[in-house]
C-alpha cells in the first residue's frame, strides 16, 4: 500500500534507525520529489545519477542504497529509479535484487556505469525471473562479462514483462550473444535491446548470423543496437535477408562496424523490400560516395518508410552528400539526416543550407547548421544525433519522443 508523499522524512528516520549517515544528494532529491503535486497520481522517477551536476554530488554507495530501498518499499508512486554513474558494487546489486523481488510498481531502473560485476548480474537477472513490473532495465557499462550476460539470456526465457534491455559496453562475449539470440526466438515481450560493443575473439561473424536467424522468427523486437560488432558485408547481407519479411523492426543500429559500399547494396535491397524500418544508423562505417549514392537512389525511388538516416564519418564527399540532399527534396518521409564527419565541399554546403532555410530540413533533425563568411556558405556542427542521449540525458528538460534523438534512453517501448 502506498504512503503519502513524505519521502524525505522517512529517509531521515531510516538513516537514524540504521545508524547510517545521510547522503545530502539523496535527501535533496527526495525533498524535491515531495514537492511534486502529481507524485501520487502519475508516479515519479527519482533521478539520482551521479553525473550531470553543476556542483559535484556524493555518489550513491551500497550502504546508501540499503537505506533508500527501505524508504521506497511502501512508496508505490515511485515508478522509476535512475542510479547511473554511481559506485554501486555487487553488494548493491544484492540489495537491488531483493528490492525487485518485493516491489511491484517499479517500471524503470537505470544502473548504467556502476561497478556491478558477474555475481551482481546473476542476482539482478535472478530477481527478474519473478518480477512482473519492471519494463526497462539499463546495465550499460557494468563489466558483467560473458557469464553475466548469460544470466540475462536465461532470464529472457522466463520473464514476460521486460520490454527494453540495455547490455551495451558490458563486455559480453559470443556465448552470451548466441544465448540471447536463441532466447529471443521465443520471447515475445522484449521490444528493444542494446548489444553494443561485445568482446569477440574471431572475425567469422557467427553472432551476426545467429541474430539474423532470430530476426526471421521474432515479431516483437522494434529496436536493435549492434554497434561495434566488427560486422562486415557478409554479416550485413545475412541481416538484410532476414529482415526482408520482418514487419516489426523500426530501428537498426549498425554504427562503428566495417561496412563498405558493397554492404550498402544489401541494405539498399532491404529498403526496397522492407517498408517498416524507420531509423537506420550507419555512423563510423566506410560507405563512401558509392554507398551514399546507392542509398539516395533507393530512397528516391523505392522506399517511403525510412524517417532517419545517420551516416556520420563515412568518408563521403560532396558527390554522395549532394545526391542525398536531392533525394530529400522529393522523399518527404525522410525527415532526419546526420552527415557530420564527412568531406563537405561548396555544393554540399549550399544544398543543405537550402534544405534548412526552405524548412524542408529542421535544425532539430540534423547535425549541421549553415553560416556565411564573405559570401560563402559553410556548415557548422550541431550536437544532435541518434546517440545523443545514449550515455547522458538532461535531468529536467524532457525530450520529445519525435525529436531527433531516438535512442534507448528516449523512446519508450510502449510508444511502439
Amino acid at each position: 500500500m502506498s504512503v503519502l508523499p513524505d519521502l524525505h522524512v522517512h529517509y531521515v528516520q531510516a538513516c537514524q534507525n540504521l545508524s547510517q549517515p545521510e547522503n545530502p544528494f539523496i535527501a535533496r532529491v527526495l525533498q524535491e520529489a515531495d514537492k511534486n503535486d502529481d507524485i501520487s497520481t502519475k508516479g515519479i522517477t527519482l533521478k539520482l545519477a551521479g553525473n550531470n551536476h553543476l556542483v559535484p554530488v556524493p555518489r550513491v554507495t551500497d550502504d546508501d542504497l540499503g537505506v533508500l530501498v527501505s524508504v521506497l518499499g511502501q512508496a508505490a508512486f515511485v515508478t522509476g529509479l535512475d542510479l547511473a554513474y554511481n559506485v554501486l558494487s555487487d553488494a548493491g546489486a544484492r540489495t537491488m535484487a531483493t528490492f525487485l523481488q518485493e516491489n511491484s510498481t517499479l517500471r524503470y531502473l537505470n544502473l548504467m556505469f556502476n561497478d556491478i560485476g558477474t555475481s551482481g548480474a546473476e542476482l539482478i537477472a535472478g530477481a527478474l525471473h519473478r518480477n512482473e513490473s519492471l519494463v526497462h532495465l539499463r546495465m550499460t557499462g557494468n563489466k558483467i562479462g560473458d557469464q553475466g550476460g548469460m544470466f540475462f539470456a536465461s532470464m529472457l526465457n522466463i520473464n514476460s514483462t521486460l520490454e527494453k534491455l540495455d547490455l551495451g559496453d558490458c563486455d559480453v562475449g559470443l556465448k552470451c550473444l548466441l544465448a540471447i539470440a536463441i532466447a529471443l526466438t521465443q520471447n515475445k515481450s522484449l521490444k528493444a535491446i542494446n548489444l553494443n560493443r561485445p568482446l569477440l575473439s574471431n572475425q567469422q561473424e557467427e553472432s551476426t548470423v545467429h541474430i539474423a536467424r532470430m530476426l526471421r522468427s521474432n515479431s516483437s523486437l522494434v529496436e536493435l543496437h549492434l554497434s561495434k560488432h566488427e560486422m562486415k558485408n557478409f554479416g550485413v547481407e545475412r541481416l538484410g535477408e532476414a529482415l526482408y519479411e520482418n514487419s516489426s523492426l523500426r530501428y537498426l543500429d549498425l554504427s562503428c562496424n566495417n561496412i563498405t559500399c558493397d554492404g550498402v547494396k544489401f541494405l539498399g535491397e532491404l529498403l526496397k523490400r522492407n517498408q517498416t524500418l524507420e531509423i537506420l544508423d550507419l555512423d563510423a562505417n566506410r560507405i563512401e560516395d558509392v554507398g551514399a549514392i546507392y542509398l539516395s537512389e533507393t530512397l528516391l525511388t523505392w522506399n517511403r518508410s525510412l524517417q532517419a538516416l545517420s551516416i556520420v564519418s563515412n568518408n563521403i564527399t560532396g558527390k554522395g552528400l549532394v545526391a542525398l540532399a536531392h533525394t530529400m527534396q522529393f522523399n518527404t518521409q525522410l525527415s532526419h539526416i546526420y552527415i557530420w564527419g564527412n568531406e563537405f565541399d561548396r555544393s554540399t554546403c549550399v544544398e543543405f543550407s537550402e534544405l534548412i532555410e526552405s524548412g524542408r530540413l529542421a535544425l532539430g533533425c540534423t547535425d549541421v547548421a549553415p553560416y556565411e563568411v564573405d559570401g560563402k556558405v559553410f556548415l557548422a556542427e550541431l550536437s544532435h544525433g541518434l546517440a545523443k542521449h545514449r550515455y547522458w540525458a538532461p535531468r529536467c528538460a524532457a525530450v520529445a519522443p519525435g525529436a531527433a534523438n531516438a535512442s534507448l534512453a528516449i523512446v519508450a517501448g510502449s510508444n511502439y
Side-chain angles (χ1 to χ4, degrees):
M1 179 178 175
S2 175
V3 297
L4 292 174
D6 207 356
L7 295 172
H8 180 249
V9 172
H10 290 302
Y11 175 68
V12 173
Q13 292 174 346
C15 287
Q16 294 173 351
N17 294 339
L18 297 172
S19 300
Q20 173 70 20
E22 291 183 34
N23 183 315
F25 174 42
I26 295 178
R28 190 178 78 241
V29 171
L30 296 182
Q31 284 177 321
E32 293 173 356
D34 287 335
K35 297 175 184 177
N36 190 325
D37 295 334
D38 298 326
I39 187 172
S40 297
T41 55
K42 296 183 179 179
I44 191 173
T45 294
L46 296 181
K47 297 182 179 180
L48 292 163
N51 68 335
N52 190 27
H53 298 276
L54 297 177
V55 179
V57 298
R59 304 200 179 204
V60 179
T61 66
D62 295 333
D63 292 335
D64 292 330
L65 182 62
V67 180
L68 180 63
V69 298
S70 71
V71 174
L72 300 181
Q74 299 298 318
F77 44 80
V78 177
T79 57
L81 193 54
D82 183 354
L83 291 165
Y85 295 97
N86 283 297
V87 288
L88 302 177
S89 66
D90 289 339
R94 180 179 297 278
T95 302
M96 182 54 65
T98 303
F99 178 66
L100 288 173
Q101 290 176 340
E102 300 171 351
N103 182 278
S104 60
T105 59
L106 195 71
R107 293 175 55 82
Y108 170 71
L109 177 61
N110 187 349
L111 296 172
M112 64 188 293
F113 290 101
N114 279 277
D115 298 321
I116 299 172
T118 301
S119 59
E122 180 179 12
L123 293 166
I124 292 174
L128 293 179
H129 286 197
R130 292 174 291 280
N131 181 282
E132 296 182 352
S133 64
L134 197 69
V135 175
H136 184 183
L137 173 64
R138 301 199 70 188
M139 293 292 294
T140 325
N142 290 288
K143 306 309 178 185
I144 64 176
D146 203 27
Q147 185 58 49
M150 291 289 288
F151 294 125
F152 282 102
S154 299
M155 176 272 296
L156 290 175
N157 288 313
I158 299 171
N159 184 289
S160 59
T161 307
L162 196 68
E163 294 183 3
K164 302 173 71 176
L165 176 62
D166 192 340
L167 295 178
D169 303 289
C170 284
D171 291 354
V172 302
L174 180 61
K175 289 196 300 182
C176 168
L177 295 177
L178 300 188
I180 287 177
I182 293 171
L184 291 182
T185 58
Q186 302 297 324
N187 184 294
K188 302 303 179 184
S189 62
L190 200 71
K191 293 180 172 64
I193 189 166
N194 180 359
L195 298 172
N196 289 349
R197 211 221 69 186
L199 298 182
L200 301 175
S201 58
N202 62 60
Q203 303 289 321
Q204 298 179 355
E205 301 188 80
E206 185 177 353
S207 60
T208 307
V209 172
H210 280 77
I211 291 172
R213 190 175 300 163
M214 173 272 294
L215 289 171
R216 291 181 182 273
S217 58
N218 184 288
S219 59
S220 59
L221 202 62
V222 174
E223 183 171 334
L224 175 62
H225 294 263
L226 299 175
S227 179
K228 300 179 183 177
H229 272 241
E230 301 182 28
M231 190 183 306
K232 303 178 183 65
N233 298 331
F234 172 80
V236 175
E237 184 178 13
R238 301 285 84 76
L239 282 178
E241 291 172 348
L243 290 172
Y244 284 165
E245 305 301 326
N246 184 292
S247 60
S248 64
L249 197 70
R250 301 288 186 272
Y251 184 174
L252 179 60
D253 176 8
L254 300 178
S255 60
C256 303
N257 282 294
N258 299 316
I259 302 170
T260 68
C261 57
D262 292 330
V264 171
K265 293 180 180 179
F266 302 123
L267 291 175
E269 192 62 32
L270 166 64
L271 291 173
K272 290 179 182 179
R273 302 192 189 193
N274 182 302
Q275 297 298 319
T276 56
L277 194 65
E278 296 175 359
I279 304 172
L280 179 59
D281 190 346
L282 294 174
D283 286 1
N285 282 285
R286 199 175 180 82
I287 70 171
E288 302 180 315
D289 285 338
V290 175
I293 292 172
Y294 194 85
L295 279 176
S296 67
E297 292 173 350
T298 302
L299 293 171
L300 179 65
T301 309
W302 298 92
N303 184 280
R304 287 297 182 272
S305 66
L306 198 71
Q307 298 176 17
L309 173 65
S310 189
I311 49 170
V312 172
S313 300
N314 264 277
N315 199 35
I316 305 171
T317 67
K319 185 178 180 181
L321 294 171
V322 168
L324 287 166
H326 286 168
T327 295
M328 289 201 70
Q329 294 176 358
F330 297 96
N331 184 340
T332 56
Q333 193 67 22
L334 184 63
S335 57
H336 300 66
I337 188 166
Y338 307 95
I339 62 171
W340 187 259
N342 294 295
E343 300 177 27
F344 299 159
D345 60 8
R346 179 75 62 81
S347 58
T348 302
C349 297
V350 170
E351 290 290 339
F352 277 89
S353 175
E354 291 178 353
L355 284 175
I356 293 170
E357 291 177 356
S358 67
R360 170 62 188 88
L361 180 60
L363 282 177
C365 300
T366 186
D367 57 352
V368 293
Y371 67 98
E372 191 172 320
V373 176
D374 295 334
K376 296 180 180 179
V377 178
F378 299 91
L379 295 177
E381 183 183 14
L382 295 177
S383 59
H384 295 167
L386 294 177
K388 179 177 180 180
H389 293 299
R390 187 166 298 162
Y391 298 106
W392 168 87
R395 292 188 68 236
C396 301
V399 179
N405 310 294
S407 71
L408 278 171
I410 302 298
V411 180
S414 58
N415 286 350
Y416 296 114

